[in-house]
Amino acid sequence: SSHASQSYASRIPHFTNPAARHLLECIERKKSNLAVSVDVTTKAELLAVVEAVAEDVCMVKTHIDIVEDFDLDLVERLSALSKEKDFVIFEDRKFADIGNTVSLQYSSGVHRIASWSHITNAHLVPGPGIIDGLASVGVLLGRGLLLLAEMSSKGNLAGGEYGAACVRAAREDTTGFTCGFIAMDRIHERNPSSANGDRDFLILTPGVGLDVTGDGKGQQYRTPDEVVRVKGCDVIIVGRGIYGSLLTEQGKKDPQHALRSVKEQAERYKQAGWEAYQKRIGA
Ligand code: 6AU
């Protein structure tokens, strides 16, 4: 039967991966299945948004390569906040190269992602060698990997057999490093298999919004209720629906006011996500 009918707490023992367990523990402690995607371009804005939402989220998702004044102090402060405020860090790097290259991109360069990001993600376009390359860096550090089995954007090419291949590759990764998917529903349960077929995976889902259905650049939004209760996804990833007030003319003039709105939206999405989960498990 579906793991979606079980509580987050009861699923912790299904995972050997430390980052997956950490995430489920945070979700349960904070009663939040909300990940905030903080896609802003300065260090100060990033830290301000994280501080505003920290209490309400289980996870902070970054695109660290868009931060104009990036330095290692930023990730030190982010790591300190992750401990103090109890959230998991997910660098949304979307690795997509051969194993050897991604192992270097993950461990090295300006960003040294593996040293601070608990979870990262990858496309399976290069084949399963990408998992081995990332695992060669991440496993010893206790990190976790999500495969992009599906995408939220209009016209994306990850349909058909592609998702099923991602599920197969995740099942074949017996190290447990691959601990979930970016997907629009419980894709692994639609693709059962006799070997390892019952293994639990986390489903993290972007394209979540309560007020609009798209962004004019291909993004498509569904509500937390649709994503968590109807489709059985585990974590909602919300970006502009939460920090959007910072992007408006008014928000630029009065950032303190905008940050209060950021906090209010985080509370609103947290509540919507948790209600959808409680309905799903029949609590
Ligand atoms: O809520 P938004 O639309 O402002 O932001 C959604 C965030 C962005 C995207 O890069 C990311 O989610 N994303 C992903 C991820 C998380 O991998 C996959 C996808 O299919 N769609 C998507 O929007 O930071």
Side-chain angles (χ1 to χ4, degrees):
S1 76
S2 174
H3 293 118
S5 60
Q6 302 171 9
S7 71
Y8 292 114
S10 69
R11 291 169 58 196
I12 296 169
H14 302 175
F15 292 85
T16 55
N17 182 280
R21 295 172 67 102
H22 181 191
L23 178 58
L24 286 166
E25 285 160 5
C26 278
I27 292 173
E28 196 62 50
R29 273 194 295 268
K30 298 177 84 172
K31 308 223 174 307
S32 173
N33 51 21
L34 172 62
V36 174
S37 180
V38 193
D39 302 336
V40 295
T41 54
T42 67
K43 195 174 150 178
E45 280 174 302
L46 196 156
L47 290 168
V49 172
V50 171
E51 301 231 14
V53 304
E55 214 178 285
D56 297 305
V57 300
C58 60
M59 171 178 262
V60 165
K61 186 177 83 59
T62 54
H63 279 303
I64 209 66
D65 59 352
I66 68 178
V67 179
E68 288 161 5
D69 52 350
F70 172 86
D71 58 14
L72 289 175
D73 174 65
L74 170 58
V75 292
E76 275 165 29
R77 286 160 76 171
L78 198 54
S79 301
L81 282 168
S82 125
K83 289 203 190 83
E84 186 195 334
K85 309 281 188 184
D86 196 20
F87 60 78
V88 171
I89 304 173
F90 167 17
E91 163 55 23
D92 184 3
R93 175 61 178 77
K94 296 189 177 70
F95 291 101
D97 212 323
I98 60 168
N100 184 62
T101 301
V102 296
S103 71
L104 295 167
Q105 291 172 320
Y106 190 25
S107 63
S108 308
V110 174
H111 298 118
R112 302 184 169 279
I113 293 164
S115 75
W116 52 270
S117 178
H118 302 110
I119 288 181
T120 192
N121 54 354
H123 290 292
L124 195 65
V125 171
I130 191 170
I131 301 176
D132 301 333
L134 293 168
S136 73
V137 174
V139 171
L140 278 173
L141 295 168
R143 306 310 188 201
L145 178 69
L146 307 171
L147 289 179
L148 279 126
E150 289 179 320
M151 293 195 74
S152 62
S153 45
K154 216 173 280 176
N156 75 77
L157 306 179
E161 269 305 293
Y162 185 80
C166 290
V167 172
R168 268 200 305 282
R171 289 200 178 110
E172 281 163 17
D173 173 13
T174 50
T175 66
F177 179 58
T178 308
C179 55
F181 304 100
I182 298 291
M184 300 298 116
D185 67 9
R186 301 191 76 75
I187 186 163
H188 53 298
E189 294 180 0
R190 281 194 282 113
N191 292 277
S193 113
S194 45
N196 266 330
D198 270 347
R199 184 154 145 214
D200 198 358
F201 288 100
L202 298 172
I203 304 287
L204 283 73
T205 307
V208 177
L210 281 163
D211 304 313
V212 289
T213 58
D215 70 350
K217 293 179 188 161
Q219 179 66 295
Q220 306 176 106
Y221 292 113
R222 297 177 299 168
T223 64
D225 185 69
E226 167 75 10
V227 166
V228 174
R229 183 181 61 81
V230 180
K231 296 296 180 186
C233 304
D234 296 314
V235 172
I236 53 172
I237 299 174
V238 184
R240 284 162 289 180
I242 288 177
Y243 69 78
S245 62
L246 282 171
L247 307 175
T248 65
E249 217 36 58
Q250 187 60 36
K252 283 178 197 143
K253 263 190 278 171
D254 189 352
Q256 285 315 313
H257 183 267
L259 283 167
R260 281 196 294 279
S261 157
V262 170
K263 162 109 184 110
E264 280 167 20
Q265 292 302 321
E267 288 169 357
R268 178 178 175 227
Y269 278 94
K270 175 195 181 184
Q271 195 179 350
W274 198 256
E275 269 174 23
Y277 159 70
Q278 287 185 306
K279 283 183 190 159
R280 170 171 117 195
I281 63 165

